[in-house]
Amino acid sequence: MNSKLHRLPVILYLSYMRFTKLLIAILFLSLNSFAQLTEQDREWNKPVEPFRVIGNVYYVGAAEITSFLITSPKGHILIDSGFAETVPLIKANVEKLGFKMSDIKILLNTQAHYDHAAGLNELKKLTGAKMLASAGDKPQLERGGLKDFAFGDRFPFEPVTVDRVIRDGETIRLGGVKLKTILMPGHTRGSTAWSYSVNDSGKKYNVLFLSSTSGPGFKYVGNAAFPEIIEVFEATFAKLKKLKPDVFLASHGSAFDLAGKMSRLGDKSRNPFIETETYPAYLKSTETAFRNKVR
């Protein structure tokens, strides 16, 4: 028998197996992406018009999942990506404000959850920016949200490589911008906030970009995956109570009444984002929820 004809069934079989594996991979990726787009996710990801919050701080995120652009003459800093599906909204918002994605030099992340980190790798590809993150969240970002202490493997996302680990108290500098890093673990192992002193109309204001102090569905007592979770949250609340921001911003718009404040942007007599009541109220609410679960 012709040796080529003899090998033909084997070749066809191998081709069939490769094709089958490819189809399975595509199906898995499709299902994985779909699983992250719940009805709530789609509500959170609704587009909004970008705007200047204060000074050189701009809002470029979605209705509930936030993303902030901090600009400078030497490049820009972007905080949080939202979902993977938020990236096109961020890109459109950045460009609508007159800025270039290629000028974004640093990517920061408040927490390694899919609704704030799933688009980071795509943003890294689009911008060429360096990804900076805490030591606590670096492993979670690089394994794409898997093995989360609260959610396990329920909310995976595209992994992103962290270029540099940042420490508590470290200052992130770019073109005159100085963001002070504040580690606030609990919501994730490496949840991070930044404080920023910004000039606006001749006055200085302290802007705070917060992660989250909530614990949705978290197990606090007897958590084998995060045994020290209660002590960690206690330390974070104690640290955050010492802060006195003039402008409180966070990873979720509802935490600082984003929608309400956006509706008042037309009032030129005052900036609705400059106020000191929302931050302590948010801390009190989330700490009360925490204590009700651990007592």
Side-chain angles (χ1 to χ4, degrees):
M1 181 182 290
N2 188 305
S3 60
K4 291 183 179 179
L5 291 176
H6 182 72
R7 292 197 303 268
L8 185 57
V10 176
I11 294 170
L12 289 173
Y13 174 77
L14 292 175
S15 297
Y16 169 78
M17 292 302 295
R18 283 195 293 268
F19 180 70
T20 302
K21 289 179 180 179
L22 178 61
L23 283 179
I24 292 172
I26 291 171
L27 179 61
F28 173 79
L29 289 173
S30 299
L31 290 173
N32 186 43
S33 177
F34 179 78
Q36 296 184 14
L37 289 174
T38 65
E39 183 177 348
Q40 176 180 265
D41 293 341
R42 288 189 286 272
E43 284 295 316
W44 285 0
N45 201 46
K46 285 185 174 178
V48 298
E49 285 295 310
F51 61 92
R52 187 175 73 91
V53 178
I54 189 170
N56 59 337
V57 178
Y58 296 85
Y59 189 76
V60 294
E64 169 69 8
I65 299 300
T66 67
S67 186
F68 300 96
L69 184 73
I70 305 160
T71 63
S72 88
K74 293 188 177 180
H76 315 318
I77 298 172
L78 185 70
I79 300 178
D80 282 349
S81 71
F83 304 107
E85 293 78 10
T86 314
V87 173
L89 303 182
I90 293 173
K91 182 177 183 295
N93 285 343
V94 168
E95 292 172 349
K96 191 175 292 186
L97 289 168
F99 301 109
K100 297 178 181 178
M101 293 294 288
S102 58
D103 287 335
I104 296 174
K105 305 301 180 184
I106 295 174
L107 294 176
L108 299 175
N109 177 236
T110 57
Q111 52 181 278
H113 285 156
Y114 80 110
D115 49 346
H116 309 282
L120 288 172
N121 196 54
E122 181 62 23
L123 283 171
K124 195 175 182 185
K125 293 175 186 175
L126 284 172
T127 64
K130 297 296 184 182
M131 180 73 232
L132 278 55
S134 65
D137 271 0
K138 179 180 185 290
Q140 192 82 348
L141 291 170
E142 294 189 336
R143 62 176 176 252
L146 299 177
K147 299 181 182 178
D148 184 272
F149 72 83
F151 306 120
D153 295 345
R154 286 170 54 199
F155 303 111
F157 55 84
E158 185 177 9
V160 59
T161 299
V162 174
D163 298 297
R164 182 161 70 83
V165 170
I166 51 177
R167 304 178 304 279
D168 191 32
E170 179 178 347
T171 299
I172 310 300
R173 302 172 187 268
L174 181 65
V177 174
K178 298 177 183 178
L179 299 180
K180 183 182 178 182
T181 302
I182 303 165
L183 297 188
M184 46 169 293
H187 190 73
T188 62
R189 288 183 178 276
S191 281
T192 310
W194 289 272
S195 64
Y196 175 44
S197 180
V198 64
N199 288 302
D200 187 86
S201 302
K203 294 182 180 180
K204 281 191 174 183
Y205 298 94
N206 183 20
V207 181
L208 178 65
F209 304 91
L210 195 78
S211 176
S212 175
T213 47
S214 69
F218 285 13
K219 179 181 180 181
Y220 291 103
V221 180
N223 188 331
F226 196 174
E228 70 277 24
I229 187 171
I230 294 176
E231 291 78 8
V232 165
F233 261 105
E234 293 277 11
T236 285
F237 279 118
K239 178 189 287 188
L240 295 180
K241 286 178 185 177
K242 297 176 183 177
L243 305 180
K244 308 292 181 183
D246 302 302
V247 177
F248 167 45
L249 306 173
S251 55
H252 280 270
S254 56
F256 60 98
D257 189 24
L258 172 63
K261 290 173 181 175
M262 283 176 60
S263 71
R264 300 193 294 275
L265 282 172
D267 182 1
K268 302 299 181 183
S269 64
R270 63 182 298 272
N271 185 336
F273 288 89
I274 302 173
E275 53 86 21
T276 57
E277 293 81 26
T278 305
Y279 178 67
Y282 170 79
L283 282 187
K284 182 178 179 180
S285 174
T286 53
E287 185 178 14
T288 297
F290 163 73
R291 298 201 178 284
N292 286 339
K293 289 181 180 179
V294 301
R295 68 183 179 185

